[in-house]
Amino acid sequence: METKILKDDSAILMGAELIQQGEVVAFPTETVYGLGANAFNPDAVNKIFIAKGRPNDNPLIVHLSDISQILNVADSVPPLAYELFNAFSPGPLTIVLPKNLAIPYTVTANLDTVGVRIPSHIVAQKFIKACGVPVAAPSANTSTRISPTDATAVFEDLNTKIPLIIDGGQCEVGIESTVITLAEKIPTILRPGIITQSMISNIIGQVKTHKGEIIGMAQAPGMKYKHYSPICEMFIIKNTDEIIEKFKWLLKNGKTNPVIFCRNSNEIYYKGLNCIALGDTDIEIAHNVFHTMRLAEKRYDAIISEDFNNEGIGGSVMNRLYKSAGIKRI
Ligand code: TXA
Ligand code: MG
């Protein structure tokens, strides 16, 4: 099928019509692009899994345009959830709640819970409103690939597989939403994002972050899969001297064109070597990381990234980069 990339209100209207007809449509959010379908229609939702090649035991997030529709998708909403929605929504936060009967198990991968998010991107807002139904949407990349932060990245992965990409420019946040579950005794962050543990704790008190260990069934089923993989090899190294050593070692061992990802202030250490500075702050690095990875994987044959920071937003970026590098963390 032909995949159109269109922008403006006409694209939003066309997208909403496609959703009502049971099709899938890619759309921008403030975090990354999503691949949406009518969350009430299991056949439509199934098309998301097919287009992405996504394992069907990995649940989807349901997107609303505002909090007033929450009971259309969730069975009950604890007071803590309202406190979090009030503080951070619309915005890059997903809350896992008990699911309503109207949400099919195709969306939740047979779980009795559903992840709910109210995106703030103006195009996402208009699109979901125009659809008139909650929109189930994972990130709009092929399964295992890097999450897309512009329409070109979506096209790269899903051309011929979906009818429409609504182009809303480059995503501001650049990494996916924070996912938190309130189904545990202590609220638990299942995926870190730019809404950090300390920001959440300021609102609701005690909260912990799931460390990613898989005991029996993973709590965020997405945690057990390969993620964010560039087509070239990728390494994470802490120390600038060791990064330079690794760069030279790679050149002697089969690579012809590696590149270093660094913080702006460290660029001076890598003079004469291929190097891309991702930003001064953790927020800037989050904004640039996936976008730059997609550019770099095509121009270079290995990526060596600095270990940016394990706290707060830097920690959320590293959560993605460790997965991109697989076990190649030094
Ligand atoms: O920013 C985002 O969250 C983007 C945009 C499009 O909204 N979406 C996104 O979706 O990143 P996806 O499918 O790539 O990641 C959703 C994550 C997965 O790790 C999934 O396992 C987890 O959320 N998740 C969804 N529903 C869940 C549930 N009921 N219980 C536990 N984890 C859930
Ligand atoms: Mg994803």
Side-chain angles (χ1 to χ4, degrees):
M1 98 177 59
E2 187 200 356
T3 300
K4 291 196 170 79
I5 304 181
L6 298 171
K7 52 177 138 192
D8 303 329
D9 286 353
S10 57
I12 294 172
L13 278 185
M14 183 189 289
E17 273 170 28
L18 284 163
I19 294 290
Q20 284 153 10
Q21 289 159 15
E23 288 304 324
V24 295
V25 172
F27 64 100
T29 82
E30 69 279 16
T31 56
V32 302
Y33 276 67
L35 181 62
N38 176 354
F40 293 145
N41 178 342
D43 293 333
V45 169
N46 201 36
K47 291 181 185 173
I48 295 176
F49 287 90
I50 292 168
K52 278 181 61 96
R54 181 178 176 105
N56 58 11
D57 62 349
N58 193 0
L60 310 180
I61 293 171
V62 172
H63 297 71
L64 305 175
S65 58
D66 71 90
I67 186 84
S68 66
Q69 303 153 31
I70 188 86
L71 288 169
N72 295 338
V73 299
D75 185 49
S76 59
V77 185
L80 284 188
Y82 281 114
E83 286 178 36
L84 288 175
F85 278 127
N86 283 337
F88 301 115
S89 283
L93 180 73
T94 297
I95 306 182
V96 175
L97 298 168
K99 90 170 192 63
N100 181 309
L101 278 179
I103 293 293
Y105 280 111
T106 324
V107 171
T108 66
N110 284 324
L111 296 174
D112 286 316
T113 53
V114 61
V116 184
R117 173 160 124 73
I118 305 170
S120 61
H121 194 296
I122 181 73
V123 174
Q125 280 276 331
K126 284 187 183 176
F127 171 63
I128 298 163
K129 271 197 193 111
C131 290
V133 288
V135 176
S139 50
N141 50 281
T142 302
S143 193
T144 79
R145 288 276 295 144
I146 303 159
S147 297
T149 54
D150 60 22
T152 312
V154 179
F155 190 78
E156 201 170 86
D157 280 17
L158 298 179
N159 181 26
T160 74
K161 296 188 172 141
I162 62 173
L164 176 65
I165 301 165
I166 303 174
D167 186 352
Q170 176 113 25
C171 302
E172 197 184 327
V173 173
I175 59 171
E176 311 88 338
S177 63
T178 306
V179 179
I180 184 169
T181 178
L182 301 178
E184 305 283 303
K185 237 199 212 148
I186 302 173
T188 304
I189 294 173
L190 301 176
R191 180 176 67 185
I194 68 152
I195 310 281
T196 60
Q197 177 164 338
S198 67
M199 288 162 74
I200 290 174
S201 168
N202 282 341
I203 305 294
I204 59 167
Q206 204 183 13
V207 58
K208 61 178 187 175
T209 295
H210 192 274
K211 292 297 172 212
E213 65 270 53
I214 297 164
I215 304 158
M217 170 117 169
Q219 284 168 299
M223 291 192 292
K224 71 182 183 193
Y225 291 108
K226 197 175 165 205
H227 258 116
Y228 319 121
S229 310
I231 51 180
C232 67
E233 271 198 285
M234 174 142 182
F235 305 86
I236 314 281
I237 304 182
K238 270 213 162 79
N239 178 296
T240 48
D241 290 338
E242 283 175 29
I243 289 176
I244 295 166
E245 247 174 64
K246 182 73 178 182
F247 191 99
K248 292 179 179 160
W249 185 90
L250 284 173
L251 286 177
K252 283 192 198 131
N253 287 275
K255 302 291 181 200
T256 56
N257 197 22
V259 65
I260 297 163
F261 282 6
C262 69
R263 197 180 285 277
N264 288 2
S265 52
N266 286 347
E267 212 178 352
I268 58 165
Y269 294 112
Y270 308 117
K271 276 203 185 114
L273 309 181
N274 296 327
C275 175
I276 304 177
L278 294 188
D280 278 315
T281 62
D282 290 347
I283 288 194
E284 278 169 26
I285 293 172
H287 171 76
N288 288 320
V289 68
F290 283 149
H291 181 68
T292 310
M293 219 192 286
R294 276 194 185 252
L295 292 178
E297 67 175 1
K298 293 177 205 76
R299 288 189 202 155
Y300 303 97
D301 59 359
I303 299 170
I304 311 169
S305 177
E306 290 186 338
D307 207 330
F308 290 109
N309 181 359
N310 263 317
E311 298 298 313
I313 294 169
S316 305
V317 172
M318 291 319 298
N319 165 277
R320 304 331 191 254
L321 287 181
Y322 294 148
K323 289 178 183 165
S324 300
I327 53 164
K328 288 181 240 27
R329 183 182 173 199
I330 297 173

